[in-house]
Amino acid sequence: MISITASSWNKNMQSIQEQIEALRTQIRHHNHLYYVLDDPQIPDAEYDRLFRELQALETEHPELIRSDSPTQRVGGEALTEFGSISHELPMLSLANAFSEAELEAFDRRIHERLQDETEIEYVAEPKLDGLAISLLYEQGVLVRAATRGDGETGEDVSANVRTIPSVPLRLLGEDYPRRLEVRGEIYMPKAGFNKLNQGLAAENLKTFANPRNAAAGSLRQLDPRITAQRPLEMFCYSMGIVEGGKLPDQHAEILQQFKAWGLRVCPEIKIVQGALGCLAYFNEIGAKRARLPYEIDGVVYKVNAIKTQQSLGFVSRAPRWALAHKFPAQEEITELEAVEFQVGRTGALTPVARLKPVFVGGVTVSNATLHNMDEIERKDVRIGDYVIVRRAGDVIPEVARVVLAQRPADAQVIRLPPHCPVCGSEVRRSEVGAVARCTGGLYCPAQVKEAIKHFASRRAMNIDGLGDKLVEQFFEQGLIRHVDDLYRLTQAQLISLERMGEKSAENILTAIEASKATRLERFIYALGIREVGESTAKVLARHFGSLEALQAANEETLKLVTDVGPVVAANIAAFFQEEHNLKTINNLRELGVHWSNYLAQPAEALPLAGKTYVITGSLSRPREAIKADLETLGAKVSNSVSKKTTALIAGAEAGSKLEKAESLGVLVLDEAALFDLLAEFMG
C-alpha cells in the first residue's frame, strides 16, 4: 500500500495548478494574437493541442476550473429569460449631425463653451452598425456583460458575450484597475452575415435583414450555444466606471491601453485636428466604406482630452463633447414598376428591377439588382410591390426585401423568360444552381466578345498575337461578330485599322491560318461550353473520338463519361441542341478548321487511367506539354503531392514538393524516366 502524505499531495496539486495556469496564459496569449491582432504565430494544430491538454487537466481536476478559463468560453445551458442590469453610469446616446454645417456648429459650440479659440483635437472613429455593450471586469476577470437597453437598465447577456472569441475572459497584464467597465459595439462582419444567411436560406429558415439585426438576434439567444455558433466580434471604444486604478488623460491613449490589456479596438480610429480634420476623415471613411469588412452608418467624433470632456459635460442624455456624423440613408422604400433581364458576358441572365426613382445612399436610384430567380422566389418579389432598396457606397443597389403589408392586389409574379432577350436562344436554369443562362454561347451578341477571346486563347485555338485588345478593336470596327468571322478577315481590312501595318496584318493572318489545323480536344475546349475545361475536353475527345459522336450524345450518355456529372452533361447537351451553335461550328469547318479524330476509347481504358502525377522543377519541355501527354494517356496531373500521388516528375531545382514526396514515400521520376514512360505508350 502506497502512503501519500498531505504535504506531497499539496505539492502535487500545486504542480497541476501551475501547469493549468501556464496553459491558460499561453492560450490567452494566442487568442489575443489571433482574434485581436489578427497575427497568429502558431499553427491551428498546436493551438488545439494546448487547448486539449488544458481540457484534460480541468476534467481530471474540476475543482480547479475558473470562469475565466479559455475552456469556459463555449455557452452552457439555455436560459429561461435574461436578467436586468442597472448601469452604474448611464450609457448615453450621441447627438447626430447629417451635414457639414451641423458638424461646424458642433465644433463652434465647443469653442464657445470653453471660451477658447485653440483648435480642438478630436478622436474620429467609424460608427459601427451593431449593438452597444458594457463589459465589467473585476480584478481583470470578466464578471458581467449588459446591453445598453434604455441607457439606465440593460439585459444581462453575460453567458452569450462569453462565447465571443474577441472578448477576453481575463485581461492581459496586471496594471488594470480593480474594477473597469469597458464599452463598445458587438457586430457581425459582412462575410459572416452572408454565410449565416446562406445557411439559414438553405434550411428554409428566416434570414436576417442586415448585419445589425443579425448581431442583435444572435446576442439575444436564450441558448448561449447558438450564440457561440454565430460569427460575432467586438470593438471597444470607451470606458464607464473605473475604480482602484487610473487611466490615461487622453481618449486615444485609453484606447491604446485597452489594446495592451487584450481588448479589441477598431484599427480605423484616428486623431484629427478641428472641424476640417473631422470632415476629411468623414470623406475618407465614406470612400472606403463599402470595402470595410463590417457595416458602419457614420463617423463618431470625440474630444480627445478627458479633462476637456469633463469640463464640457452633458446636455439632456448626450455628451457635449461627442457627435455622430451620419452617412446618407442606405435603405429607402419605393415601388417596383417593372423587371428586365440583362445578359452578361457568360450568358447569365440577371433580373434588374426598374424602380420609381428614390434618393438613397446619396444618389437617385431607379434600377436595382434582383440577383437571380432563386432570390426573387425566396424574397417573394413581385412587380407592383413596395420594396426596401439598399445601397452601400459604390455597390450596385439591390432590392433587400418586400413590404408585404403594402402589396397591391394586382402585383404580378416575376417569371424567367424562356428565350434570351438578346439573341432568342433557349434559356436554361440549372437544377443545382440559381443562375439561368442563354445557351447561344457562340452566337449571342452579349457573349460573343468573350467567346472570341476564349476561342483564340493559347490553350484553345492558339491564335498567336490575337490578344484581348485586338479582339475588342476588331469588334468595335465591325470586322467580326462571331468566332467564324476570324477566318474571313482580309489583309485590306486589317491594314485599315489604326496602328496596324502590313507586317503586323500579315502575322495575324498567318497565325489565324495556322490555327485551322488543331486537335479535337482543343476545338472542344475552344467552344467555351460552360464547365468544360481542358481536362474535360480531353476526356470527351478520347471517349467519343469525333465531334459528331459528341454532338449526338444525350445527357444520359454524357453522364457515363469519367468526370462528367449531371451539371456538365446538361451544359454540353444544351450547347449542341442550340441551332445557332451548330451553324457556327459548321461555318468553322467549311472555312478550313480541321482535326484528326481518335479511335473512341473510354477514359478508364487508357494506359495511365487512375494514376496521378505531379510536375515540379525545371525541365527541358514546357510543363503544359508534359501535362498534355500524360492526360492523353488517361492520367491526372495535380498541383500538390499526397499519399495518393502515383509519382512526382522532378526536374532541376525541385523544392518542397520533392521533399514531401520523399517523406511520403512517393515514387520520384527524373526526365529520363518520364521519357521512357511516355515512349512506352506513345512510341
Side-chain angles (χ1 to χ4, degrees):
M1 180 175 177
I2 300 173
S3 174
I4 300 177
T5 64
S7 174
S8 64
W9 185 87
N10 286 336
K11 283 183 179 178
N12 185 50
M13 286 303 293
Q14 182 180 358
S15 173
I16 290 169
Q17 191 163 358
E18 287 172 354
Q19 289 179 57
I20 287 174
E21 279 307 315
L23 284 167
R24 287 172 180 165
T25 300
Q26 275 187 279
I27 292 169
R28 288 188 195 107
H29 172 68
H30 290 298
N31 280 343
H32 177 65
L33 290 172
Y34 187 92
Y35 294 109
V36 178
L37 302 183
D38 194 24
D39 183 28
Q41 294 182 358
I42 59 172
D44 291 348
E46 175 64 13
Y47 178 89
D48 292 340
R49 186 191 66 75
L50 294 172
F51 198 88
R52 285 196 300 272
E53 189 176 342
L54 176 58
Q55 280 182 317
L57 286 171
E58 289 185 341
T59 300
E60 290 175 20
H61 303 280
E63 71 279 6
L64 297 180
I65 296 176
R66 293 207 320 243
S67 64
D68 63 324
S69 173
T71 63
Q72 303 305 297
R73 187 175 291 284
V74 177
E77 294 301 312
L79 308 171
T80 55
E81 62 178 2
F82 292 111
S84 62
I85 289 178
S86 295
H87 298 298
E88 296 178 52
L89 282 178
M91 293 183 71
L92 302 178
S93 303
L94 295 177
N96 290 326
F98 294 92
S99 67
E100 185 178 339
E102 289 175 301
L103 165 60
E104 291 170 349
F106 162 74
D107 182 63
R108 185 172 60 253
R109 286 194 299 272
I110 289 177
H111 283 291
E112 289 171 352
R113 192 163 190 85
L114 295 175
Q115 296 184 344
D116 187 348
E117 292 303 314
T118 305
E119 193 170 57
I120 302 294
E121 185 171 80
Y122 295 101
V123 176
E125 59 195 69
K127 185 177 182 300
L128 298 158
D129 198 10
L131 191 73
I133 202 79
S134 161
L135 308 178
L136 181 62
Y137 288 89
E138 293 183 351
Q139 306 295 350
V141 176
L142 178 65
V143 296
R144 190 186 73 198
T147 62
R148 179 182 177 277
D150 63 2
E152 300 285 344
T153 304
E155 289 179 314
D156 185 349
V157 289
S158 304
N160 289 349
V161 168
R162 292 173 64 83
T163 71
I164 301 173
S166 54
V167 175
L169 302 180
R170 170 183 280 278
L171 299 177
L172 299 179
E174 297 179 347
D175 56 342
Y176 38 73
R178 177 171 49 82
R179 293 185 83 227
L180 172 67
E181 182 190 2
V182 178
R183 292 174 176 179
E185 198 90 358
I186 287 176
Y187 67 94
M188 186 174 289
K190 294 174 184 176
F193 167 73
N194 292 333
K195 188 175 180 180
L196 173 62
N197 262 359
Q198 287 168 6
L200 293 172
E203 296 178 24
N204 292 317
L205 299 174
K206 184 179 179 182
T207 57
F208 290 101
N210 51 55
R212 185 186 187 284
N213 288 0
S218 299
L219 191 65
R220 298 192 72 261
Q221 293 286 333
L222 289 172
D223 189 345
R225 289 167 297 192
I226 296 176
T227 305
Q229 297 169 8
R230 301 286 172 83
L232 296 176
E233 295 185 13
M234 179 178 176
F235 279 136
C236 302
Y237 52 59
S238 69
M239 62 181 179
I241 58 169
V242 180
E243 295 177 2
K246 189 178 179 183
L247 290 178
D249 57 6
Q250 301 283 326
H251 178 69
E253 292 176 8
I254 291 173
L255 296 181
Q256 290 302 312
Q257 183 61 67
F258 280 179
K259 288 172 68 175
W261 288 332
L263 295 159
R264 196 159 172 265
V265 174
C266 179
E268 301 294 337
I269 290 175
K270 187 176 181 180
I271 296 174
V272 298
Q273 306 298 323
L276 287 177
C278 289
L279 184 61
Y281 180 86
F282 179 83
N283 292 330
E284 175 189 330
I285 289 295
K288 66 193 298 187
R289 180 184 184 185
R291 301 192 302 275
L292 293 174
Y294 41 80
E295 292 285 2
I296 63 173
D297 58 2
V299 167
V300 173
Y301 313 118
K302 297 172 184 172
V303 172
N304 193 17
I306 301 300
K307 200 169 189 179
T308 306
Q309 288 185 8
Q310 294 168 345
S311 174
L312 290 166
F314 301 85
V315 55
S316 182
R317 293 173 57 80
R320 289 192 179 96
W321 43 266
L323 181 73
H325 191 174
K326 294 289 202 74
F327 292 129
Q330 288 193 291
E331 289 190 346
E332 289 290 352
I333 185 170
T334 189
E335 185 180 358
L336 194 159
E337 297 179 328
V339 172
E340 294 179 6
F341 285 84
Q342 295 181 344
V343 184
R345 61 181 181 85
T346 63
L349 269 69
T350 302
V352 176
R354 303 304 184 196
L355 307 167
K356 186 174 183 179
V358 62
F359 192 76
V360 54
V363 299
T364 299
V365 170
S366 56
N367 302 317
T369 182
L370 288 162
H371 296 292
N372 52 57
M373 288 303 298
D374 276 9
E375 279 291 285
I376 288 174
E377 290 159 10
R378 185 177 67 80
K379 295 174 180 176
D380 189 21
V381 183
R382 302 184 187 183
I383 297 169
D385 273 338
Y386 282 87
V387 295
I388 303 296
V389 180
R390 178 187 297 145
R391 182 179 183 273
D394 295 328
V395 177
I396 297 169
E398 67 170 344
V399 172
R401 57 192 181 278
V402 176
V403 183
L404 291 173
Q406 296 186 41
R407 168 167 285 170
D410 60 350
Q412 301 172 41
V413 174
I414 300 167
R415 302 195 186 282
L416 181 70
H419 296 97
C420 173
V422 176
C423 74
S425 298
E426 183 184 358
V427 169
R428 286 218 175 183
R429 185 177 175 187
S430 169
E431 293 180 5
V432 294
V435 179
R437 295 184 188 276
C438 163
T439 57
L442 295 178
Y443 174 81
C444 181
Q447 305 173 63
V448 73
K449 269 200 290 188
E450 295 304 315
I452 294 171
K453 290 175 186 177
H454 173 77
F455 185 86
S457 64
R458 182 170 61 86
R459 295 181 181 178
M461 296 300 287
N462 192 24
I463 303 178
D464 190 33
L466 187 59
D468 290 358
K469 288 184 178 178
L470 209 50
V471 170
E472 295 275 355
Q473 191 178 8
F474 288 173
F475 205 84
E476 287 168 7
Q477 296 298 318
L479 301 184
I480 55 175
R481 280 293 174 262
H482 306 293
V483 292
D484 48 312
D485 289 334
L486 289 171
Y487 296 94
R488 297 188 181 94
L489 290 170
T490 66
Q491 189 163 17
Q493 287 177 315
L494 298 187
I495 292 173
S496 68
L497 297 175
E498 188 178 349
R499 292 193 297 275
M500 177 71 73
E502 285 190 23
K503 186 62 177 174
S504 297
E506 186 180 321
N507 290 341
I508 292 294
L509 291 174
T510 299
I512 291 173
E513 184 65 27
S515 75
K516 289 180 180 179
T518 187
R519 287 155 58 177
L520 177 57
E521 59 266 34
R522 276 185 173 270
F523 187 76
I524 294 171
Y525 175 62
L527 295 177
I529 304 169
R530 193 81 188 160
E531 309 287 347
V532 175
E534 290 179 87
S535 296
T536 304
K538 288 170 185 171
V539 170
L540 291 168
R542 300 306 187 280
H543 185 96
F544 290 102
S546 69
L547 187 66
E548 290 81 4
L550 175 59
Q551 287 176 266
N554 60 27
E555 286 188 42
E556 294 307 311
T557 304
L558 287 163
K559 282 191 283 188
L560 298 175
V561 180
T562 304
D563 291 339
V564 174
V567 174
V568 177
N571 289 340
I572 296 169
F575 183 89
F576 287 120
Q577 285 166 17
E578 184 55 59
E579 190 63 36
H580 298 310
N581 294 335
L582 296 178
K583 182 179 178 182
T584 301
I585 291 170
N586 288 335
N587 288 344
L588 287 166
R589 300 188 80 163
E590 288 174 2
L591 287 163
V593 176
H594 62 280
W595 53 84
S596 297
N597 288 334
Y598 293 95
L599 180 64
Q601 188 178 20
E604 56 269 22
L606 294 170
L608 297 184
K611 298 184 183 297
T612 302
Y613 294 87
V614 176
I615 306 170
T616 190
S618 299
L619 298 153
S620 62
R621 295 173 63 212
R623 288 191 190 182
E624 287 301 323
I626 296 171
K627 179 182 177 184
D629 286 344
L630 290 168
E631 289 178 338
T632 297
L633 296 170
K636 288 186 177 180
V637 179
S638 174
N639 289 322
S640 58
V641 177
S642 71
K643 290 181 179 179
K644 295 181 180 179
T645 303
T646 304
L648 174 74
I649 297 162
E653 301 178 6
S656 59
K657 289 180 182 177
L658 177 58
E659 293 175 7
K660 186 170 183 180
E662 290 172 339
S663 70
L664 293 174
V666 171
L667 176 66
V668 178
L669 302 178
D670 60 15
E671 195 159 6
L674 169 66
F675 178 81
D676 291 342
L677 174 70
L678 296 176
E680 180 182 350
F681 300 112
M682 300 179 75

